[in-house]
């Protein structure tokens, strides 16, 4: 079974995926995390991807899909939660073909619905753990020790694409390239909406309700 989280940058997809995957027995696959992993390892793919990510643009489809498919093939999981994939119509169509080739089933596609003005504040204050991928916020979700990950003790970083000018370009990219996939999944009957401008606990409850229904 494949579930998909769609939403603009900062809407809380990663936060919720990390909270819910264990409860739902799903493997969390974030294409953003996979790309940042490739950058950290200094691979050729990572170097190519970084230039696009620093501009707030999408990384070319073939690079992202190759990385995702490799990870899916290595996994023994019975279900996947895709966070940040697909991000445009060609990716959505490629994923549909893969689902049908592998005889998987598409579960719910959740749209994290949220006003754009909330996103910049969330992302400017976000601090991310390069070790385990946990996310924090300097005002609303502070780690126990400033600058240190609660889960694994790694020093937290401010992502290079979490500067206001890049955040605004990422939001534009979402509206221009990713929002059209919502109609694609609405037509197929898979799309559900969750209000993401609530507390993390309330968003988790709403997600559990729709994902288990
Ligand atoms: P990616 O890493 O996927 O970034 P994104 O989609 O822009 O999403 P974010 O990680 O920024 O936000 P999120 O929704 O996960 O929010 P979070 O939970 O962290 O992609 C990065 C780049 O990689 C892209 O720009 C692109 O270049 C490339 N890329 C990735 N996938 C690609 C693809 N498929 N194709 C092509 N290119 C691709 O929360 C944000 C903050 O808000 C945190 O501080 C958190 O503490 C706080 N917060 C979370 N929930 C709440 C809440 N309910 N209330 C208050 N605060 C909250």
């Amino acid at each position: 079974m494949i579930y998909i989280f769609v939403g603009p940058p900062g809407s809380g997809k990663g936060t919720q995926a990390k909270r819910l995957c264990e409860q739902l027995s799903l493997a969390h696959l974030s294409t953003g995390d996979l790309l940042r992993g490739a950058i950290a390892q200094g691979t050729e793919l990572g170097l190519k991807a970084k230039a696009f990510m620093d501009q707030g643009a999408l990384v070319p489809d073939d690079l992202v899909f190759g990385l995702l498919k490799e990870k899916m093939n290595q996994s023994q999981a019975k279900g996947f939660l895709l966070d940040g994939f697909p991000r445009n119509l060609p990716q959505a169509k490629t994923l549909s073909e893969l689902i049908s080739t592998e005889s998987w089933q598409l579960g719910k596609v959740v749209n994290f619905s949220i006003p754009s003005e909330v996103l910049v504040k969330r992302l400017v204050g976000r601090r991310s753990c390069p070790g385990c991928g946990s996310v924090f916020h300097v005002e609303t979700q502070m780690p126990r020790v400033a600058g240190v990950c609660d889960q694994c003790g790694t020093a937290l970083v401010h992502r290079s694409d979490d500067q206001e000018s890049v955040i605004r370009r990422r939001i534009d990219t979402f509206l221009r390239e990713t929002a059209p996939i919502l109609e694609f999944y609405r037509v197929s009957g898979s799309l559900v909406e969750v209000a993401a401008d609530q507390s993390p606990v309330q968003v988790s409850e709403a997600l559990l309700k729709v994902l288990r229904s």
Side-chain angles (χ1 to χ4, degrees):
M1 186 70 100
I2 307 280
Y3 297 89
I4 299 173
F5 280 0
V6 185
S11 54
K13 306 178 297 294
T15 300
Q16 295 299 331
K18 284 176 186 76
R19 280 169 172 247
L20 298 181
C21 271
E22 203 172 321
Q23 285 183 62
L24 297 167
S25 303
L26 296 172
H28 174 204
L29 287 181
S30 154
T31 42
D33 286 348
L34 294 178
L35 290 165
R36 281 183 289 280
I39 293 171
Q41 286 164 17
T43 65
E44 196 184 327
L45 186 153
L47 276 175
K48 281 188 193 155
K50 189 173 182 341
F52 293 94
M53 294 166 80
D54 284 348
Q55 294 296 316
L58 294 186
V59 174
D61 296 342
D62 55 335
L63 298 186
V64 180
F65 189 64
L67 205 54
L68 180 74
K69 186 129 186 292
E70 187 187 341
K71 205 72 188 173
M72 288 174 123
N73 288 341
Q74 286 166 355
S75 173
Q76 304 295 320
K78 295 216 163 56
F80 296 102
L81 173 53
L82 304 186
D83 161 9
F85 188 96
R87 243 173 159 106
N88 57 23
L89 277 173
Q91 290 184 10
K93 288 177 184 163
T94 304
L95 180 63
S96 292
E97 285 162 20
L98 180 69
I99 288 174
S100 130
T101 313
E102 299 285 340
S103 304
W104 288 332
Q105 210 185 327
L106 179 64
K108 298 284 184 335
V109 177
V110 181
N111 178 33
F112 281 55
S113 168
I114 189 162
S116 291
E117 59 269 19
V118 180
L119 304 171
V120 175
K121 195 160 181 238
R122 280 192 185 182
L123 291 179
V124 166
R126 172 167 63 181
R127 296 296 179 270
S128 308
C129 176
C132 68
S134 296
V135 288
F136 300 87
H137 191 279
V138 291
E139 288 171 7
T140 57
Q141 208 187 327
M142 292 181 285
R144 283 191 295 273
V145 177
V148 179
C149 177
D150 288 352
Q151 308 300 327
C152 70
T154 302
L156 299 176
V157 298
H158 191 202
R159 267 170 52 176
S160 59
D161 60 348
D162 277 351
Q163 300 159 35
E164 188 164 342
S165 57
V166 186
I167 294 166
R168 292 195 185 280
R169 286 206 292 273
R170 287 160 61 201
I171 295 171
D172 287 347
T173 302
F174 173 83
L175 295 173
R176 194 177 57 250
E177 301 197 40
T178 308
I181 73 171
L182 298 175
E183 190 54 28
F184 178 85
Y185 288 118
R186 190 171 284 120
V187 168
S188 71
S190 313
L191 190 74
V192 290
E193 303 275 344
V194 163
D197 190 15
Q198 313 178 69
S199 74
V201 172
Q202 287 170 316
V203 178
S204 297
E205 286 169 358
L207 284 168
L208 282 174
K209 208 183 263 177
V210 298
L211 293 177
R212 283 177 168 155
S213 67

